[in-house]
Amino acid sequence: MRSLMLPSQWAACFLAFSSLLTPITSVKHENFKTCDQSGFCKRNRAYADKAVAAGSSWEIPYQISKESLSWKNGQLQGTILKTINAKGESVRLPITISFLESGSARVVIDEEKRQKGEIELRHNSKAKKERYNEVESWVIVGGLTLSTTATEERDDKKSTVKYGKDGQFEAIITFAPFAIDFKRDAVTEIKLNDRGLLNLEHWRPKIEKTEPEKKEGEEETPTPEAQANKDEEDESTWWDESFGGSTDTKPRGPESLALDITFPGYAHVYGVPEHAGSMSLKETRGGTGAHTDPYRLYNADVFEYIMDSPMTLYGAIPFMQAHRKDSTVGVFWLNAAETWIDVIKEKEAHNPLSLGIGSRSDTKTHWFSESGLLDVFVFLGPTPKDVTKAYGELTGYTQLPQEFAIAYHQCRWNYNTDEDVKDVDRKMSKHQIPYDVIWLDIEYTHEKEYFTWDPLTFPNPTGMLAQLDQSERKLVAIIDPHIKNTDNYPIVDELKKKDLAVHNKDGNIYEGWCWPGSSHWVDCFNPAAVTWWKSLFQYSAFKGTAENVFIWNDMNEPSVFNGPETTMPKDNLHYGNWEHRDVHNINGMTFHNATYQALLSRKKGELKRPFVLTRSFYSGSQRLGAMWTGDNEAKWDHLAAAFPMILNLGISGFPFAGADVGGFFGNPEKDLLTRWYQAGAFYPFFRGHAHIDTRRREPYLAGEPYTGIITRALRLRYSLLPTWYTAFHEASVDGTPIIRPHYFEYPSDEAAFAIDDQFFIGSSGLLAHPVVTESAESVDVYLPDNEIYYDYFDYKTYHGQGKHNILTPLDKIPLLMQGGHIVPRKDRPRRSSGLMKFDPYTLVIALNKAGTAQGELYVDDGESFDYESGAYIHRSFSFGNGVLFSKDIGTKGKLTDKYLKTMKNVGVEKIIVVGAPASWKDKISVKAGKGEAKIEYHAEEGGKAAWAVVKKPQVAIGENWTIEF
């Protein structure tokens, strides 16, 4: 759903004309800041330019006071002295460097005067004096145990700390100027302040400067003092800053913080979503094809966003990974304020005669945030999985969702009535098109008052939900954070009475404009607001809802139509009197969290996994549900952009991600819509969505051959739900992405480090390369090794590392099976995933060159938290020497036996062996468990592998067994 861009002078007439207004049809760049328009961004870039221009003569004003240092229990504490003038006066900046049991390290720098509250605020502001220090409480859920084996040695110039397993990691902290080198196995992997760009803007009082009056006709002769002032830092945005008709009052003055982070020997960096661009980040200062602005992280309501841009979008994850051959490292910048990141890549030859041969690439990044602490975690790998796992230990792993949530979702703004919803439901069933969830955008409410139903268009929500429930289908309804400011609306009355809304800079309830017109925003930083919010979702309060209703949180950046950059003023005040500038990027997550908690407590005794979709997010949001990439367009380049975005989100810890299938804005041509469904079948979050002004595009409306092709894509997703759910489980326990880029699976293959249009699905060996370009007659699929690969559909074989061309008529999805894997699936078509619950399984065994294969299957009830008490099946399948084994790899819990009883009749109905040996051609049966089963052999033909199928082997999915071929 999309915001309207309303000039403030229209506000008074918004309510009267809201039904007539339609969203503007393209992104308005002038509504969003560039770096030059952001005071602290411009200042820190200028600081970097000054350092570069000075070269070796650059004087870094930060040094650690050696006398201040103390070491205890894996933690080094001390004080950095920042020299602030020629007199040698300094500001004290407490520093804590923690070495964690996990092998990660953490560096935190604060400001002593701010810690002690020894500053004065301007404008009689009620804002906190400290630097914001509570982001950890929202984001970090574990992994902070200090190392008991780390050791420290110190001399006059540096401190050296050895930590990690067997002391393989090392941190060298140089005192003057302050810098840290992080090493793994004696090789420097990450450098902090290597270029001397550390810049913490300390508090200072505003001094009004007056210029002497100049007499008429008198030429200005600059004094030495005036000339010196010209060379000083630009103060024009220190004390206030205007943009788009709004002025930020900045009661604490300038307070930004910046640090350069260098990855020596690394040419590729990934992460820091959300941006519409390549997975491997581009340079932002110099270089071929570089951006001109840094990558920006400032959650914003940006519609019809442009491609290949560092422009901010809806979410922010300040987690970056660097990768080179056989090595991955990473950093996590824990700061919730507006943040920008410059990226520079430099190539250095080993000697003047090398002509680039044997040269080394360094990636040099520069991070700057507007306020808060300098708080950075360092991960030294060495594998991609090591880095994502360490990050996940801190911020949590992705939620294991209910199984319906990873099936297909049918959405548009808006389904007009409850009868419209029921009609779509019936037609999807009539055309045998599977789907699990239908969605309602804002028009279901009574005059955009959340927790209500429009009495004219949705008079019988209970009957609507009952029909959906007959097919095990669900409904998702939108609930946004803006609460309509109107009479006779008990929700807003309570919000005001209990003082649970965000305040303006003067401490009064903040009023802005969003979908309902005049609105207030619930402040979910306030525990009392969360408690109140939870009460609104109880079935007795939100009448007409039931167990099969789930929630969509949109507009939670927050989107404010008449606010600066379409969001809240930075000097607004949240619970505890923290300024909005301090918490902006986690605002959406706090609202997402409140809704998640609400769904957990809708009814006493009902404990099912919530499903809550969010648009705005931050590190840690992965614990709460899914996200989508926002308001894309029905264009081929938007289809192509989705996978790089989703892959970047996956490696950044938020793998439950998707894009609007078909494009939110515009009317897709039928080829584009069809290709988008084929691609969407590989999005972890799979939802078709459309704008209110678009033509209806439910799959059954496309007509043949399109409806048939789309239906086959949907059925492919449903048949592979066991594989997808197993991948979700893996992500939920160790942070491994659900769809994985090549570098993640093949960290030695330099040719594939930047590939972001194909990927592996979990650990299944399925390699997908959906078609995302117009009129494509073929695609080049890159194979990372010399293993055998089989076409998923017809078993055509591909051999040899490198690119292989695959023909792609409209009904073709390029999907390969890597030899050596066993893929679980369910082949019986159903209307929804809930109706597949007790269906039998098919195992597809894709043999490798050695004639072996292995795979896994994870199964639970798909809805409750009983799996935490052992109510699940986790099997390992392995094939070798003509024998297929099924082995239990789960851990028994108190509910294991009870769950296994419910699954005792669920078996394997079919086993397909692809690449079956010719020696099987005369076989007519195999030994399956205690009996025998028939086998059919199909010989190799026309470049397609031989395959065999075993039908009805009479083995249960939850038991140990062997099948001998």
Side-chain angles (χ1 to χ4, degrees):
M1 191 175 63
R2 171 50 39 218
S3 70
L4 301 171
M5 304 299 295
L6 293 177
S8 58
Q9 63 265 32
W10 292 0
C13 60
F14 175 81
L15 284 176
F17 294 99
S18 62
S19 63
L20 303 178
L21 295 173
T22 56
I24 286 173
T25 56
S26 63
V27 63
K28 289 268 188 179
H29 289 281
E30 63 270 23
N31 289 336
F32 301 94
K33 290 182 181 180
T34 63
C35 183
D36 276 348
Q37 294 169 313
S38 171
F40 79 95
C41 183
K42 186 176 181 180
R43 292 196 301 272
N44 280 289
R45 266 195 161 184
Y47 190 82
D49 291 341
K50 189 175 180 181
V52 170
S56 59
S57 64
W58 175 244
E59 294 185 7
I60 302 173
Y62 297 87
Q63 64 179 26
I64 289 183
S65 166
K66 181 190 172 187
E67 294 74 22
S68 70
L69 289 174
S70 64
W71 170 264
K72 184 179 180 181
N73 299 331
Q75 196 170 70
L76 185 67
Q77 293 184 307
T79 301
I80 293 176
L81 300 178
K82 175 189 177 183
T83 303
I84 59 173
N85 56 33
K87 299 176 184 178
E89 294 177 334
S90 62
V91 171
R92 295 174 63 83
L93 307 175
I95 181 171
T96 301
I97 308 173
S98 305
F99 300 91
L100 308 177
E101 196 65 45
S102 64
S104 304
R106 183 184 191 183
V107 180
V108 181
I109 301 175
D110 204 340
E111 182 179 353
E112 188 173 274
K113 271 195 171 185
R114 296 278 298 273
Q115 277 185 332
K116 295 179 178 180
E118 297 174 351
I119 68 168
E120 296 177 4
L121 302 181
R122 300 166 61 241
H123 315 302
N124 297 313
S125 172
K126 303 176 188 298
K128 281 270 196 179
K129 294 181 176 181
E130 298 95 321
R131 287 182 172 269
Y132 183 58
N133 54 20
E134 295 181 2
V135 63
E136 176 184 316
S137 66
W138 289 101
V139 175
I140 305 299
V141 294
L144 293 182
T145 303
L146 293 171
S147 172
T148 57
T149 57
T151 60
E152 189 236 5
E153 294 182 358
R154 200 180 310 164
D155 59 30
D156 290 338
K157 296 183 177 180
K158 66 182 184 303
S159 170
T160 302
V161 177
K162 292 188 176 181
Y163 66 106
K165 186 179 179 181
D166 301 323
Q168 70 174 134
F169 302 150
E170 188 176 28
I172 300 176
I173 301 106
T174 303
F175 301 153
F178 165 71
I180 308 179
D181 283 11
F182 287 95
K183 298 184 175 185
R184 186 183 68 234
D185 298 329
V187 177
T188 299
E189 306 289 352
I190 296 176
K191 295 183 176 185
L192 305 187
N193 206 35
D194 173 54
R195 296 187 287 150
L197 305 185
L198 172 63
N199 183 30
L200 191 144
E201 294 181 324
H202 61 279
W203 180 84
R204 79 287 312 271
K206 183 178 181 182
I207 300 174
E208 302 293 343
K209 296 181 180 180
T210 58
E211 296 192 12
E213 185 178 344
K214 187 173 65 175
K215 295 179 181 178
E216 186 176 352
E218 182 179 67
E219 289 193 15
E220 184 176 352
T221 303
T223 63
E225 182 180 1
Q227 187 62 45
N229 287 339
K230 281 189 175 182
D231 296 333
E232 289 179 1
E233 192 174 2
D234 177 13
E235 297 184 16
S236 62
T237 55
W238 277 14
W239 309 107
D240 55 60
E241 187 170 347
S242 296
F243 183 80
S246 298
T247 298
D248 176 8
T249 57
K250 297 191 176 183
R252 299 180 301 226
E255 54 179 326
S256 76
L257 50 125
L259 179 68
D260 59 281
I261 302 175
T262 298
F263 302 97
Y266 291 85
H268 292 277
V269 286
Y270 314 112
V272 295
E274 180 184 30
H275 303 95
S278 58
M279 181 181 70
S280 182
L281 302 179
K282 293 186 176 182
E283 293 180 78
T284 61
R285 307 201 82 179
T288 303
H291 299 305
T292 55
D293 257 10
Y295 286 94
R296 189 185 187 200
L297 298 176
Y298 186 64
N299 297 353
D301 185 351
V302 183
F303 57 97
E304 289 193 340
Y305 47 84
I306 62 172
M307 300 294 95
D308 191 24
S309 172
M311 186 177 182
T312 191
L313 288 177
Y314 312 94
I317 299 179
F319 173 38
M320 177 181 284
Q321 297 173 57
H323 184 73
R324 59 174 165 79
K325 186 175 182 179
D326 291 324
S327 180
T328 307
V329 296
V331 294
F332 173 38
W333 181 269
L334 183 57
N335 188 292
E338 178 185 355
T339 298
W340 301 74
I341 307 151
D342 264 322
V343 178
I344 298 173
K345 298 182 181 182
E346 294 183 354
K347 186 168 283 190
E348 298 177 1
H350 287 178
N351 64 73
L353 302 178
S354 69
L355 301 178
I357 300 172
S359 62
R360 187 184 84 165
S361 293
D362 295 345
T363 296
K364 300 180 177 182
T365 65
H366 185 199
W367 302 61
F368 22 100
S369 295
E370 185 175 17
S371 65
L373 302 177
L374 195 159
D375 190 349
V376 60
F377 289 85
V378 174
F379 312 107
L380 295 180
T383 70
K385 189 170 183 177
D386 289 332
V387 173
T388 56
K389 184 175 183 179
Y391 170 78
E393 287 177 357
L394 293 169
T395 65
Y397 300 128
T398 193
Q399 174 204 34
L400 181 62
Q402 290 202 40
E403 190 163 17
F404 80 80
I406 69 172
Y408 174 62
H409 301 248
Q410 181 63 47
C411 182
R412 73 172 282 109
W413 176 26
N414 203 85
Y415 288 114
N416 300 317
T417 65
D418 51 14
E419 286 300 324
D420 189 9
V421 170
K422 291 160 71 174
D423 184 58
V424 171
D425 178 67
R426 284 190 294 265
K427 287 177 177 175
M428 293 288 276
S429 294
K430 177 182 176 181
H431 289 85
Q432 299 181 359
I433 300 172
Y435 90 99
D436 267 62
V437 192
I438 194 162
W439 291 53
L440 293 179
D441 214 313
I442 54 173
E443 312 302 334
Y444 79 92
T445 63
H446 175 246
E447 297 181 348
K448 297 180 176 61
E449 297 171 357
Y450 297 117
F451 305 99
T452 69
W453 300 89
D454 188 309
L456 298 179
T457 55
F458 287 86
N460 186 16
T462 302
M464 174 181 65
L465 294 174
Q467 177 177 311
L468 294 175
D469 197 48
Q470 290 173 8
S471 298
E472 295 279 350
R473 289 170 175 161
K474 323 295 180 185
L475 182 131
V476 168
I478 198 167
I479 299 281
D480 292 343
H482 48 261
I483 304 300
K484 185 176 183 177
N485 181 27
T486 188
D487 296 331
N488 302 315
Y489 182 30
I491 303 291
V492 78
D493 293 340
E494 282 190 45
L495 182 75
K496 293 176 180 179
K497 181 180 179 181
K498 296 181 178 181
D499 193 20
L500 302 177
V502 179
H503 291 179
N504 63 22
K505 61 184 173 61
D506 300 317
N508 301 315
I509 188 169
Y510 171 69
E511 180 186 4
W513 291 77
C514 205
W515 289 117
S518 174
S519 302
H520 303 305
W521 275 258
V522 59
D523 184 3
C524 293
F525 288 90
N526 186 344
V530 175
T531 299
W532 173 71
W533 191 250
K534 288 162 62 175
S535 72
L536 301 180
F537 286 84
Q538 293 181 10
Y539 299 129
S540 58
F542 191 178
K543 297 185 185 301
T545 59
E547 292 182 19
N548 60 341
V549 173
F550 298 88
I551 301 298
W552 171 14
N553 286 162
D554 198 358
M555 315 296 281
N556 52 332
E557 295 76 23
S559 175
V560 182
F561 293 168
N562 63 332
E565 299 198 86
T566 325
T567 193
M568 227 172 240
K570 288 182 174 179
D571 50 10
N572 270 9
L573 295 173
H574 289 270
Y575 175 74
N577 284 332
W578 293 110
E579 279 197 298
H580 185 72
R581 87 179 68 253
D582 299 320
V583 303
H584 175 84
N585 282 345
I586 58 172
N587 181 84
M589 182 172 73
T590 66
F591 183 63
H592 192 197
N593 170 70
T595 305
Y596 179 91
Q597 299 300 328
L599 293 194
L600 282 175
S601 56
R602 287 194 289 189
K603 179 182 177 183
K604 189 175 181 180
E606 175 190 292
L607 194 59
K608 294 186 177 180
R609 296 173 233 169
F611 173 76
V612 187
L613 180 74
T614 185
R615 189 172 72 176
S616 181
F617 56 89
Y618 189 78
S619 300
S621 292
Q622 68 272 8
R623 305 188 302 262
L624 306 171
M627 62 75 61
W628 91 107
T629 61
D631 297 332
N632 57 1
E633 295 184 68
K635 295 180 178 179
W636 287 95
D637 58 347
H638 280 253
L639 168 59
F643 279 121
M645 295 175 75
I646 294 168
L647 287 168
N648 237 343
L649 284 155
I651 61 175
S652 301
F654 204 158
F656 197 4
D660 284 345
V661 170
F664 179 67
F665 282 111
N667 295 300
E669 60 199 72
K670 291 184 179 181
D671 279 13
L672 174 57
L673 182 64
T674 302
R675 289 299 193 192
W676 216 317
Y677 269 98
Q678 292 174 336
F682 298 96
Y683 296 167
F685 173 59
F686 183 16
R687 182 183 73 156
H689 188 32
H691 185 270
I692 195 169
D693 291 333
T694 63
R695 293 190 294 268
R696 296 289 284 256
R697 59 167 94 135
E698 288 73 30
Y700 50 78
L701 296 175
E704 296 301 340
Y706 307 101
T707 292
I709 297 172
I710 291 170
T711 300
R712 287 194 290 276
L714 287 163
R715 287 181 179 173
L716 173 65
R717 172 60 168 241
Y718 274 76
S719 70
L720 286 172
L721 282 178
T723 292
W724 282 100
Y725 198 66
T726 300
F728 267 86
H729 169 259
E730 187 175 355
S732 75
V733 296
D734 66 11
T736 308
I738 292 165
I739 61 171
R740 303 175 186 173
H742 275 260
Y743 91 88
F744 201 94
E745 294 291 281
Y746 288 87
S748 301
D749 185 10
E750 294 177 281
F753 289 170
I755 290 179
D756 55 14
D757 58 358
Q758 61 177 61
F759 46 85
F760 290 93
I761 301 170
S763 300
S764 69
L766 290 174
L767 174 60
H769 190 311
V771 176
V772 295
T773 53
E774 187 174 7
S775 302
E777 296 180 354
S778 66
V779 297
D780 288 329
V781 176
Y782 178 83
L783 302 185
D785 55 25
N786 289 313
E787 190 50 78
I788 187 170
Y789 287 75
Y790 308 93
D791 185 285
Y792 179 83
F793 303 99
D794 65 12
Y795 310 147
K796 182 178 179 180
T797 58
Y798 297 89
H799 306 263
Q801 184 177 16
K803 293 182 178 179
H804 294 259
N805 189 260
I806 297 178
L807 297 179
T808 55
L810 188 60
D811 62 350
K812 177 66 174 180
I813 301 175
L815 177 62
L816 304 180
M817 297 183 290
Q818 184 186 45
H821 291 271
I822 299 176
V823 179
R825 72 188 193 200
K826 290 187 174 184
D827 287 347
R828 298 184 182 184
R830 301 286 189 182
R831 286 169 288 164
S832 70
S833 66
L835 299 176
M836 299 167 62
K837 192 168 188 176
F838 298 108
D839 281 353
Y841 288 81
T842 292
L843 301 179
V844 181
I845 304 171
L847 296 181
N848 60 16
K849 290 181 176 180
T852 65
Q854 58 185 1
E856 287 187 16
L857 172 68
Y858 174 84
V859 188
D860 60 31
D861 65 17
E863 57 182 38
S864 77
F865 290 94
D866 288 355
Y867 67 92
E868 295 177 348
S869 299
Y872 64 88
I873 292 169
H874 196 185
R875 310 299 299 180
S876 169
F877 305 114
S878 60
F879 181 92
N881 297 316
V883 182
L884 174 64
F885 295 89
S886 174
K887 180 182 177 182
D888 180 17
I889 55 174
T891 300
K892 189 169 183 177
K894 65 180 182 180
L895 296 180
T896 300
D897 291 339
K898 180 180 178 181
Y899 177 68
L900 288 177
K901 286 181 181 178
T902 68
M903 296 290 289
K904 68 179 181 179
N905 294 324
V906 179
V908 177
E909 69 174 346
K910 191 163 47 178
I911 296 169
I912 300 172
V913 182
V914 184
S919 60
W920 290 6
K921 67 178 181 178
D922 295 324
K923 279 186 177 290
I924 59 172
S925 65
V926 297
K927 184 178 180 182
K930 297 179 181 180
E932 288 191 348
K934 292 181 179 179
I935 182 173
E936 295 176 2
Y937 181 83
H938 302 265
E940 180 181 353
E941 182 181 1
K944 298 177 182 178
W947 59 284
V949 57
V950 177
K951 296 181 179 179
K952 298 181 180 179
Q954 302 296 318
V955 291
I957 199 65
E959 297 177 357
N960 293 333
W961 43 259
T962 60
I963 296 178
E964 299 176 20
F965 287 78

